[in-house]
Amino acid sequence: MTASLSTDSSDPESFTSEGQRPDPIDFTPEELKELQRRFGVHGPQAPLAQLFTHGLDQLTPLRARTVERLEELRPTILQESRRHRINPMLVAAVLFDEIQHAKPGEDLPLAAQSGLFSTHGPAQLGIGELIHQGLLPAEPTAEQIQTARLELLDPSRNVTLLVGKFARLSRELGLPSDRQLEASRSPRDAKALATLAYLHNGKLDYPARILSYMQDPELHALIYSERKPQLSPLI
């Protein structure tokens, strides 16, 4: 992968030699090597962990609670995604996955301040992202770290930082800044979205889950359906 990702749907590489669209989650060895050099990656999720993740996704009560939390975050998702021209479904899909698989108790201030967890809040962001966005110095003080951890626990602020992360990564990858990426628009856009998902989590199997969640009908309805106030029936 070069320093930038082209998203021109007319590019001849949008299709394989057999005339088929390439799978956006297939990264070449060269692309993986470049992403590792520039951003750091962790390889695929262990098979047992993948099985556990799949099992959690099938729990209906857990999913319902996750969707409820997403609905609470919806205004911030839409506002910040619009401001940075980031696809809100990418944001919603990442939040859905991270909330769904959150560890018990990790959103408690005491647990965050203990240093037991390295990432915090609904998007599972770490102190490093605040540094990347220029909101903390490269070597923050202990007091600044404590304050930052509490900031990351604030759900709305956490979502704002997640969208900011995708905007930052998009700039570094040379992605379009005048429009949002659409997986259905072109193979290049789909590959760019998969890359952003990959760089958020660092696991090679993560983009497939995120692209799948982005097509989830319930999540689509949550993000894009209009909310109309219910009127009391006339008596």
Side-chain angles (χ1 to χ4, degrees):
M1 179 172 291
T2 58
S4 64
L5 288 173
S6 169
T7 54
D8 182 0
S9 60
S10 65
D11 192 304
E13 292 186 17
S14 295
F15 295 86
T16 65
S17 58
E18 291 79 20
Q20 300 295 318
R21 286 176 178 253
D23 192 331
I25 64 173
D26 285 342
F27 293 89
T28 67
E30 292 76 20
E31 288 174 329
L32 292 175
K33 185 176 180 180
E34 180 66 7
L35 290 174
Q36 182 176 24
R37 182 185 70 81
R38 295 182 60 192
F39 302 100
V41 290
H42 310 297
Q45 189 182 35
L48 183 59
Q50 290 186 42
L51 184 62
F52 180 71
T53 295
H54 179 73
L56 284 178
D57 290 345
Q58 309 310 308
L59 296 178
T60 302
L62 177 59
R63 177 186 172 91
R65 175 56 186 146
T66 302
V67 171
E68 285 179 10
R69 290 198 63 191
L70 275 181
E71 190 162 13
E72 295 168 0
L73 298 171
R74 179 178 182 269
T76 306
I77 294 172
L78 291 175
Q79 176 182 308
E80 293 302 313
S81 296
R82 191 179 301 115
R83 186 160 70 93
H84 290 284
R85 293 187 173 89
I86 297 297
N87 190 319
M89 285 306 302
L90 171 65
V91 180
V94 166
L95 288 168
F96 179 85
D97 186 86
E98 298 294 0
I99 293 172
Q100 185 94 329
H101 306 126
K103 302 177 186 67
E106 67 181 7
D107 58 345
L108 297 175
L110 184 61
Q113 297 292 27
S114 71
L116 183 62
F117 302 106
S118 59
T119 57
H120 312 282
Q124 288 297 288
L125 298 175
I127 301 297
E129 185 53 36
L130 290 165
I131 296 174
H132 285 311
Q133 294 190 32
L135 302 172
L136 275 182
E139 296 184 5
T141 65
E143 183 178 352
Q144 287 174 323
I145 290 175
Q146 294 289 74
T147 301
R149 284 172 175 161
L150 293 177
E151 182 179 355
L152 289 171
L153 287 179
D154 178 81
S156 180
R157 180 60 176 155
N158 195 275
V159 172
T160 298
L161 290 169
L162 174 64
V163 179
K165 178 179 183 178
F166 285 138
R168 172 180 67 81
L169 291 171
S170 295
R171 289 192 298 271
E172 293 183 25
L173 291 167
L175 300 177
S177 59
D178 58 342
R179 64 175 179 84
Q180 73 176 33
L181 300 170
E182 299 284 355
S184 60
R185 179 180 184 272
S186 72
R188 292 289 189 179
D189 272 22
K191 183 58 174 287
L193 288 166
T195 302
L196 290 173
Y198 180 34
L199 294 179
H200 169 71
N201 177 272
K203 296 288 187 181
L204 198 50
D205 56 315
Y206 192 73
R209 286 212 309 276
I210 297 306
L211 292 185
S212 175
Y213 292 147
M214 288 181 69
Q215 303 304 317
D216 186 289
E218 187 176 14
L219 297 187
H220 252 275
L222 185 150
I223 293 299
Y224 288 118
S225 64
E226 293 186 10
R227 299 298 197 269
K228 296 181 179 180
Q230 288 190 335
L231 300 178
S232 301
L234 296 177
I235 299 177

